[in-house]
């Protein structure tokens, strides 16, 4: 059994931890993603589940947990474009966002979640159509 699988079984939250630690194919020309999950008022959403999807990831996706400050890290991603989403307790899931990881760099990204019961923030195109 590989050390990656042993780690996955040993961790109670292996669904969340093992893919982020062991999932990506390490690429010499890859980068990483450092981000934050916050609500629409800028308050960190600790414990949010962040998902990233893309062709460059073995298995097609990875999952990470935001820490108490809302920060998450997805290291060692192959360079390329990815789709990022987040969900957090008491919040609506975020809209899918596109992020590009460049070789030998960390991309910085913030995901904003609408608290349950609040009207979602309008996108620029929706705001423009409301003004018409």
């Amino acid at each position: 059994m590989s050390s990656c699988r042993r780690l996955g079984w040993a961790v109670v939250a292996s669904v969340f931890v093992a893919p982020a630690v062991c999932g990506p194919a390490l690429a010499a020309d890859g980068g990483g993603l450092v981000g934050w999950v916050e609500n629409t008022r800028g308050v960190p959403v600790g414990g949010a589940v962040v998902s990233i999807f893309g062709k460059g990831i073995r298995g097609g996706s990875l999952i990470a947990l935001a820490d108490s400050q809302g920060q998450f890290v997805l290291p060692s991603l192959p360079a390329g474009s990815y789709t990022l989403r987040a969900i957090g307790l008491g919040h609506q899931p975020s809209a899918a966002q596109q992020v590009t990881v460049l070789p030998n760099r960390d991309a910085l990204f913030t995901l904003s979640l609408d608290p349950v019961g609040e009207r979602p923030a309008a996108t620029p195109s929706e705001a423009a159509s409301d003004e018409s």
Side-chain angles (χ1 to χ4, degrees):
M1 181 180 279
S2 75
S3 62
C4 179
R5 286 190 183 170
R6 275 186 251 132
L7 174 65
W9 287 108
V11 177
V12 174
S14 64
V15 166
F16 300 112
V17 176
V21 172
C22 306
L26 297 177
D29 63 346
L33 179 63
V34 177
W36 293 265
V37 181
E38 58 186 33
N39 69 19
T40 52
R41 294 188 181 105
V43 177
V45 180
V49 177
V50 179
S51 303
I52 186 169
F53 306 92
K55 292 180 183 179
I57 300 172
R58 186 180 329 155
S61 65
L62 293 173
I63 298 172
L65 288 176
D67 66 15
S68 62
Q69 298 301 308
Q71 185 177 24
F72 63 93
V73 178
L74 291 161
S76 304
L77 294 170
S81 294
Y82 297 94
T83 301
L84 197 62
R85 293 198 65 169
I87 57 174
L89 186 62
H91 295 81
Q92 298 290 331
S94 71
Q97 302 286 322
Q98 295 299 311
V99 63
T100 300
V101 174
L102 299 175
N104 304 312
R105 290 190 167 179
D106 285 338
L108 302 177
F109 206 84
T110 300
L111 291 162
S112 183
L113 302 180
D114 292 308
V116 172
E118 280 191 16
R119 182 177 173 203
T123 64
S125 61
E126 291 171 337
S129 66
D130 287 346
E131 294 173 4
S132 303

